[in-house]
């Protein structure tokens, strides 16, 4: 059985979208990746419409089992956070309209899941996403890699909630699992 | 010629929606008003779906010429601002899908337009909305009155951009127009 996850790194200027198939043995394969960009010269309604239409197309084309969206924090840069939240609302509602489950993951959960460290930088995430998905080149821009990382994170967490492939159980936590558990606890506190 | 404006005071817990017809002579008549509430016990995707479906129904039923939405500020209460922004994104995208123009107005613009003071309280807004629309009783909750106030604000501003009915021009500003101009200038600075 393969789980298909569509990950979204929401944003008005660039909205990263990535689709990944994850097999029961946790092997992950990239199906598609892309970025939808909108110009700041457009009005907000036009920008959100472009994003809404793109998400609709991706959902219709790839028919994911679940949609994973980055959880937006109000601690972000105030000049961009409202647009990010509005875009995420559009994406989440589009999935809900199709009765596709939506999962939210924090940036630190994603970093921990993919790199083993909840405080990894964007380069490290991109590098590991490239390796995990056996890609010839790193997905660009970073928003595209982040969308794939979100999809991977969701699939692995949904699988057994403990970590990346190779995780053996909670009695002997790997560094990645430990970082993950810490990131999760932190995210829970922040909710 | 009558302008039909659908105003929305976005929110996850309560989303106020109000439809107003405004004649050329600025006489305004309420067509419909309501509040869509969602429980905090629902997941975010279910909550946004309820709002999306409600907005779709209102847009289909009332066929407004324009949708006026409260402009969300990141200075709001951080625990609610993300949900408000996500709900507003869903509303704005729903209008954009139907090619209905969307206008955003700040709370101080609305207060200034309806009461003459950009710093009026909610009670004053409700009271004047009730009077302007010749309603038998004040619309409740406040979110419903706010939605109607947004619709009125948009129609009046779109009309000549100077203020409420009775405005004579910018050479002799009434107190309401002055407050309005100040609120606008403030809003522009905040953008």
């Amino acid at each position: 059985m393969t789980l298909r996850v569509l990950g979204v790194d929401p944003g008005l200027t660039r909205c990263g979208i990535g689709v990944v198939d994850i097999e029961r043995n946790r092997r992950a394969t990239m199906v598609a990746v892309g970025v939808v960009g909108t110009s700041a010269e457009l009005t907000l309604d036009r920008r959100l419409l472009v994003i809404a239409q793109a998400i609709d197309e991706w959902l219709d084309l790839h028919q994911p089992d679940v949609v994973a969206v980055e959880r937006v924090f109000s601690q972000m840069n105030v000049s961009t956070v409202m647009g990010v939240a509005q875009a995420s609302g559009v994406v989440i509602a589009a999935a809900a309209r199709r009765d596709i489950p939506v999962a939210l993951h924090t940036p630190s959960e994603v970093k921990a899941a993919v790199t083993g460290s909840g405080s990894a930088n964007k380069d490290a995430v991109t590098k590991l996403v490239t390796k995990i998905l056996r890609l010839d080149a790193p997905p660009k821009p970073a928003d595209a890699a982040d969308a794939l990382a979100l999809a991977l994170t969701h699939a692995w967490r949904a699988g057994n909630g403990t970590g990346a492939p190779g995780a053996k159980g909670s009695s002997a936590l790997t560094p990645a699992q430990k970082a993950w558990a810490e990131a999760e606890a932190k995210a829970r506190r922040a909710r």
Side-chain angles (χ1 to χ4, degrees), chain A:
Chain A
M1 199 205 88
T2 301
L3 183 76
R4 175 163 291 185
V5 185
L6 185 144
V8 180
D9 183 21
L12 283 180
T13 305
R14 276 185 310 276
C15 194
I17 312 177
V19 182
V20 173
D21 278 347
I22 296 103
E23 294 162 56
R24 242 214 149 87
N25 67 3
R26 301 188 142 225
R27 182 183 157 93
T29 306
M30 187 180 83
V31 178
V33 69
V35 171
V36 182
T38 70
S39 163
E41 288 175 20
L42 293 178
T43 55
L44 177 62
D45 55 320
R46 291 295 113 185
R47 300 182 82 176
L48 290 173
L49 178 62
V50 169
I51 292 166
Q53 288 175 331
I55 287 296
D56 282 347
E57 279 168 27
W58 281 72
L59 292 175
D60 289 343
L61 183 62
H62 297 292
Q63 306 269 331
D65 298 304
V66 59
V67 172
V69 182
E70 186 168 303
R71 186 184 291 277
V72 187
F73 282 109
S74 51
Q75 287 83 354
M76 289 172 60
N77 182 336
V78 288
S79 70
T80 59
V81 69
M82 304 313 300
V84 171
Q86 287 169 321
S88 81
V90 168
V91 169
I92 293 167
R97 274 179 205 274
R98 286 165 176 78
D99 225 14
I100 301 171
V102 176
L104 303 174
H105 298 289
T106 65
S108 58
E109 284 168 351
V110 173
K111 288 172 184 172
V114 173
T115 73
S117 163
S119 57
N121 63 25
K122 278 197 175 278
D123 283 350
V125 171
T126 297
K127 202 173 160 186
L128 285 193
V129 163
T130 308
K131 192 182 165 194
I132 291 162
L133 294 172
R134 305 172 304 283
L135 306 176
D136 294 333
K140 282 184 187 171
D143 313 75
D146 284 348
L148 292 168
L150 264 159
L152 289 171
T153 299
H154 179 74
W156 290 342
R157 287 172 61 104
N160 64 13
T162 52
K168 290 292 193 302
S170 62
S171 57
L173 289 176
T174 65
Q177 289 174 313
K178 208 169 154 220
W180 195 335
E182 285 164 6
E184 277 194 306
K186 202 171 160 188
R188 269 195 298 272
R189 283 196 300 273
R191 259 163 231 168

